[in-house]
Amino acid sequence: MDQSKLVTITTIILFSWMAFIIAWERISPYRKGLPFFRDGFWVDLVWYTIIQSYFLKILIFDFIIAPIQHHVDVTGLQWFKNWTITEQVLFFLFTHDLYIYLFHRLQHANKLLWRTHEAHHSGKEVDFLAGSRSHIVEIIINQTIEFAPIVILSPNPEIIVPIKALLDAMFGMFIHANVNVRFGKLKYFLNSPELHLWHHANYREVFHANFATKFSMWDYLFGTVYFPENKPGDLRDNWGLYYDYPKDYFLQHAFSVKRFDEQKLLRYRWFNWYYNLRPRLLEWMIGQWKNLSKSASKKKSTREPAVKELEPEENYISCD
Ligand SMILES: [Zn+2]
Ligand SMILES: [Zn+2]
């Protein structure tokens, strides 16, 4: 199968999966009353999911992995020569997932690495899109380590990469989805929202627990699982970080380099201008939308007298 056809198929599967998860969130929510357009929805969708992913894909594949591949000669290595596509996908899935578990655990333990991960925990309303919020550095490290071995070692990277990327996106959406799901015995092996949503809760007990991404067995094997009977609760304070965190994409990245108090910075005119740019833009867009709907209803009302003109005649007829 050629790559463009495979990418079309994986894209269709991904959008269908997203529609399924969105419907599931509405039908059976884990946390009731969570709005679809929740706090940070547009930052996650526009900045993290669309713009950041687009540029990081180019950076990681064309400017990091391609030069590595150019300098590393693996023609002598034929490890995966006789492996089927399924065997290769499973191999890269398991090995990368173990790496992600260990690195994620390190990110929670090390102060410097935490700066590359706190963004992921900053949302107080977790849903299917919340998993996309990941710091640039975190994505560069994790995706280079994930895809470089596939591109360099696999005889079929053009097939393995899209399949692996699809599975990442599907699992990412699923474990963050605000859905009520009970995995029973399967929870010892596969990760699910009932385990990962606790990882996003603002409780000391989970600051160092439930690190798994796809296979929860790592948490069970290494003794880092936290799975009580109750849920974290519906209050905003039950979720996300215990400290204030910026809402803006660029300020979130700046905050990982240097801590600052947004309220104090508002004294500076340039910061004030930038800080209010997004709400002003949003206000302007809402204004435009209102104007559009007003002019549409005006057009409709100018047509109305034509109907009203009939009324006297109708009355006259009825009086008769
Ligand atoms: Zn984490
Ligand atoms: Zn998460």
Side-chain angles (χ1 to χ4, degrees):
M1 187 188 290
D2 69 287
Q3 205 186 15
S4 63
K5 199 173 169 190
L6 182 64
V7 171
T8 310
I9 293 170
T10 54
T11 309
I12 292 169
I13 294 173
L14 183 62
F15 276 95
S16 313
W17 179 248
M18 188 165 70
F20 170 70
I21 296 276
I22 290 170
W24 194 359
E25 282 186 333
R26 298 296 112 196
I27 294 164
S28 175
Y30 180 87
R31 187 176 160 195
K32 289 190 176 70
L34 209 68
F36 182 77
F37 294 109
R38 44 95 181 148
D39 194 20
F41 177 89
W42 294 108
V43 172
D44 290 354
L45 180 69
V46 177
W47 284 106
Y48 285 100
T49 309
I50 300 171
I51 302 175
Q52 179 175 287
S53 296
Y54 176 78
F55 285 105
L56 287 191
K57 185 176 173 275
I58 296 170
L59 176 76
I60 293 165
F61 281 90
D62 299 350
F63 293 93
I64 301 175
I65 297 178
I68 296 174
Q69 192 185 16
H70 186 73
H71 287 99
V72 179
D73 182 20
V74 288
T75 40
L77 296 173
Q78 305 242 322
W79 294 341
F80 301 100
K81 199 182 143 211
N82 299 317
W83 291 46
T84 63
I85 297 293
T86 313
E87 284 166 348
Q88 287 185 60
V89 169
L90 287 175
F91 174 81
F92 288 115
L93 207 63
F94 269 94
T95 48
H96 175 253
D97 206 60
L98 175 59
Y99 152 75
I100 276 283
Y101 168 85
L102 295 170
F103 186 67
H104 187 189
R105 202 170 158 175
L106 204 61
Q107 284 179 304
H108 276 257
N110 179 282
K111 277 185 180 170
L112 189 67
L113 287 176
W114 173 248
R115 297 275 183 114
T116 69
H117 184 57
E118 61 183 342
H120 186 70
H121 283 265
S122 62
K124 293 209 172 274
E125 295 175 326
V126 185
D127 64 6
F128 75 102
L129 198 59
S132 65
R133 189 180 291 195
S134 288
H135 192 279
I136 282 185
V137 174
E138 180 177 47
I139 297 282
I140 293 173
I141 296 172
N142 284 343
Q143 290 198 357
T144 302
I145 290 174
E146 175 178 14
F147 293 113
I150 299 175
V151 172
I152 295 166
L153 298 171
S154 168
N156 328 86
E158 72 289 352
I159 296 174
I160 310 291
V161 169
I163 292 177
K164 185 78 173 55
L166 171 70
L167 291 170
D168 289 346
M170 286 175 76
F171 251 94
M173 269 185 214
F174 175 62
I175 63 170
H176 294 97
N178 183 41
V179 294
N180 232 344
V181 60
R182 287 268 159 190
F183 256 27
K185 292 257 186 297
L186 200 62
K187 75 167 189 269
Y188 297 112
F189 180 68
L190 271 185
N191 201 11
S192 72
E194 60 181 349
L195 286 170
H196 196 70
L197 288 179
W198 261 111
H199 184 68
H200 282 262
N202 180 19
Y203 287 81
R204 280 195 176 279
E205 295 90 323
V206 284
F207 286 172
H208 299 279
N210 297 11
F211 298 111
T213 301
K214 294 185 183 71
F215 303 109
S216 55
M217 64 176 186
W218 308 125
D219 277 312
Y220 282 100
L221 269 173
F222 299 118
T224 51
V225 75
Y226 181 77
F227 186 48
E229 278 298 307
N230 61 312
K231 290 178 179 180
D234 291 344
L235 298 173
R236 277 180 69 79
D237 280 349
N238 297 140
W239 296 82
L241 301 168
Y242 60 86
Y243 51 88
D244 288 339
Y245 193 77
K247 289 186 173 189
D248 173 88
Y249 173 81
F250 292 102
L251 293 182
Q252 287 175 356
H253 282 82
F255 197 69
S256 68
V257 179
K258 175 123 182 71
R259 297 310 205 203
F260 53 82
D261 182 343
E262 280 176 313
Q263 296 310 312
K264 281 184 184 165
L265 281 176
L266 283 170
R267 286 185 308 211
Y268 300 102
R269 260 174 67 187
W270 63 270
F271 186 80
N272 216 317
W273 179 85
Y274 176 73
Y275 192 73
N276 291 309
L277 187 65
R278 197 162 52 97
R280 276 208 310 272
L281 202 69
L282 209 68
E283 227 169 77
W284 179 81
M285 279 163 69
I286 292 168
Q288 293 297 312
W289 175 253
K290 277 183 181 166
N291 284 345
L292 261 175
S293 36
K294 249 187 207 170
S295 61
S297 59
K298 250 186 193 172
K299 267 184 193 169
K300 203 178 158 194
S301 63
T302 50
R303 284 199 301 269
E304 269 170 13
V307 180
K308 278 182 183 161
E309 274 164 21
L310 289 173
E311 281 174 10
E313 202 184 343
E314 276 172 1
N315 287 341
Y316 176 73
I317 292 166
S318 68
C319 281
D320 249 359

